[in-house]
Amino acid sequence: MNYYSTQITNLIDELLRLPGIGSKSAQRLAFHIINMPEEHVEHLAETLVNARKKIRYCSICCTLTDTDVCPICSSIKRDHSTIMVVEHTKDLAAYEKTGQYSGVYHVLQGTLVPSLGKGPDEIRFKELMDRLTGDDPKIKELILATNSSLDGEATAMYITKKVKPLGIKITRIASGVPIGGELEYIDEVTLSRALDRRIEL
Ligand code: ZN
């Protein structure tokens, strides 16, 4: 039975497609939007469309950005000889919040998922290898900061196996990041400590 008009139902249905939004949240958001001043709604809609249109992957580190090369990759203040490998842009953001890391990143945009047969071609692994085998600038250290989940560990192991022959120092962030822990939920102190105590592989 349809309690609402078609427009309201459509809005609720669209909101329901977003991750983490259940039917109660979708209804609450829908009614909030309907009660917002029209110009605010227009601004929100425009922001969504622009974000989707303009955001792309950095041509160097593969993070989400709105320029060809992201601000971190184009900064001369960063140490371009140290690359931290993370799963997603939100993990990069978590490390940036600590303010303790001055190197650059590589964002895989996912992990290997051996149980589902998801392999290296489905993440930004080739782009990482291209960076490591190019010689400008020479990479001195690769810090593996994938999550400590099964898939995160499998990804770290795979990268280690492929990169080790290149003679680049490889380190893994230390424990302190709980097993199965998602980087984005871990506090900044713990993240900094995990980075400080990284171990060489
Ligand atoms: Zn970048």
Side-chain angles (χ1 to χ4, degrees):
M1 188 172 140
N2 208 346
Y3 300 101
Y4 304 127
S5 76
T6 313
Q7 291 299 339
I8 298 174
T9 307
N10 288 350
L11 178 56
I12 292 171
D13 286 348
E14 284 302 319
L15 292 166
L16 263 175
R17 293 154 73 124
L18 298 171
I21 304 287
S23 59
K24 273 191 184 157
S25 299
Q27 289 184 45
R28 191 169 48 82
L29 286 169
F31 288 112
H32 178 80
I33 291 168
I34 288 162
N35 286 309
M36 275 162 68
E38 208 172 317
E39 63 269 25
H40 286 190
V41 179
E42 270 164 16
H43 183 69
L44 173 64
E46 215 174 284
T47 307
L48 290 173
V49 172
N50 281 340
R52 181 61 188 87
K53 270 191 189 153
K54 291 180 183 160
I55 290 175
R56 57 180 110 172
Y57 296 108
C58 169
S59 60
I60 298 175
C61 74
C62 304
T63 193
L64 290 168
T65 182
D66 52 9
T67 47
D68 178 44
V69 176
C70 78
I72 294 173
C73 287
S74 47
S75 169
I76 50 163
K77 290 184 185 151
R78 309 292 297 222
D79 167 14
H80 291 261
S81 67
T82 302
I83 298 180
M84 184 193 288
V85 179
V86 295
E87 293 178 14
H88 297 285
T89 296
K90 63 192 179 192
D91 304 321
L92 174 157
Y95 266 100
E96 282 303 284
K97 261 190 249 161
T98 69
Q100 299 295 309
Y101 179 66
S102 60
V104 292
Y105 295 89
H106 189 83
V107 183
L108 294 169
Q109 298 298 347
T111 58
L112 302 180
V113 187
S115 59
L116 297 176
K118 185 176 168 191
D121 293 344
E122 292 168 75
I123 57 174
R124 300 295 179 125
F125 174 69
K126 183 188 174 295
E127 288 85 345
L128 174 65
M129 289 306 278
D130 287 347
R131 287 177 80 182
L132 299 178
T133 48
D135 49 8
D136 185 32
K138 191 94 186 94
I139 307 303
K140 292 203 190 88
E141 183 180 353
L142 190 69
I143 303 170
L144 301 177
T146 50
N147 289 328
S148 57
S149 60
L150 271 180
D151 295 336
E153 291 295 351
T155 307
M157 272 173 62
Y158 180 82
I159 294 173
T160 305
K161 196 176 83 187
K162 293 290 177 183
V163 173
K164 203 92 198 191
L166 302 177
I168 295 167
K169 181 180 175 186
I170 308 171
T171 55
R172 178 86 172 107
I173 51 167
S175 56
V177 177
I179 300 296
E182 298 257 342
L183 281 186
E184 61 176 318
Y185 299 121
I186 295 164
D187 70 86
E188 287 143 39
V189 177
T190 310
L191 269 189
S192 298
R193 202 179 297 142
L195 179 59
D196 282 346
R197 296 182 187 165
R198 65 186 182 272
I199 41 164
E200 190 164 352
L201 298 175

